[in-house]
Amino acid sequence: MNWTDERVELLRKLWSEGLSASQIAAQLGGVSRNAVIGKVHRLKLSGRGRATAAPARQKKATQGASMQKSVARAASATRHVTASIGATALQVQFDAEPVARHYIRPVENVVVPISRNLQLVELTERTCKWPNGDPLSEDFSFCGNDAAETGPYCKYHARVAFQPAAERRRAR
DNA sequence: CCCTGATTCGC
DNA sequence: GCGAATCAGG
């Protein structure tokens, strides 16, 4: 995948909207979050809301300890203003929806707790992929609860999806 | 352990 | 320029 003008533009847009690098990578497709971050840096559009501060990096014991000094110098020259002003305003977004809503309708006789209501691009290998709502609707989402050791669904939805043969027979 | 962004460096 | 590997932090 190469960075076409459209893709770069979309990257700029999503980044400015406060989406995380991995989310942007998911929407762009064909690139890793690292690729997105790398591109963001090359475009010099880092530092938008404070997600992780940028203290003096240092790392690896690689060669050339030369520039380490300049870093140290810059750090001591200090200018700890660390602006954290307009940053917080951007950090809102879809994360804060009132999931509180009434309960999930009783599916069979299995009780399912509150879902995280994730969007498709937010799913990972360990999020429950149980669909909630109408796929044709804008607010369609997936359960999203932890589904680590229980396959594609969280342990609750797994019980609904994978009923033991015996239980299914009895229910019928 | 999950995630975040930041940085380095071989390609 | 690109992005995986790595680092630091939440």
Side-chain angles (χ1 to χ4, degrees):
Chain A
M1 267 308 198
N2 65 317
W3 288 102
T4 62
D5 288 2
E6 288 101 62
R7 289 166 66 76
V8 172
E9 186 181 5
L10 181 55
L11 165 61
R12 280 203 151 95
K13 177 174 176 291
L14 297 177
W15 182 258
S16 67
E17 286 177 0
L19 293 192
S20 70
S22 63
Q23 289 176 317
I24 294 174
Q27 294 216 359
L28 286 173
V31 289
S32 66
R33 77 180 193 90
N34 275 317
V36 170
I37 292 175
K39 187 60 179 176
V40 163
H41 278 236
R42 265 170 257 121
L43 289 174
K44 301 179 188 301
L45 24 94
S46 304
R48 110 201 102 160
R50 275 288 112 71
T52 294
R57 274 286 101 73
Q58 193 167 358
K59 71 152 296 186
K60 266 262 178 93
T62 45
Q63 86 297 21
S66 50
M67 72 172 282
Q68 309 290 58
K69 297 179 180 176
S70 61
V71 172
R73 205 182 320 114
S76 60
T78 324
R79 191 186 53 185
H80 270 308
V81 187
T82 318
S84 60
I85 310 174
T88 42
L90 294 173
Q91 293 293 37
V92 190
Q93 53 174 336
F94 54 90
D95 228 25
E97 52 194 80
V99 186
R101 215 168 310 206
H102 30 64
Y103 274 72
I104 307 298
R105 55 180 111 294
V107 181
E108 300 300 317
N109 56 347
V110 179
V111 177
V112 178
I114 300 172
S115 297
R116 292 177 62 200
N117 294 113
L118 299 183
Q119 298 303 302
L120 180 58
V121 296
E122 301 179 281
L123 296 176
T124 70
E125 289 180 359
R126 64 182 55 221
T127 53
C128 177
K129 298 166 189 62
W130 185 270
N132 284 328
D134 180 3
L136 296 180
S137 174
E138 278 301 324
D139 58 319
F140 171 67
S141 63
F142 292 90
C143 170
N145 285 322
D146 189 13
E149 307 287 306
T150 55
Y153 306 119
C154 65
K155 61 181 179 179
Y156 303 100
H157 285 131
R159 290 193 56 191
V160 178
F162 307 119
Q163 286 182 36
E167 190 177 326
R168 217 186 309 142
R169 178 185 300 278
R170 177 151 35 79
R172 175 155 49 122

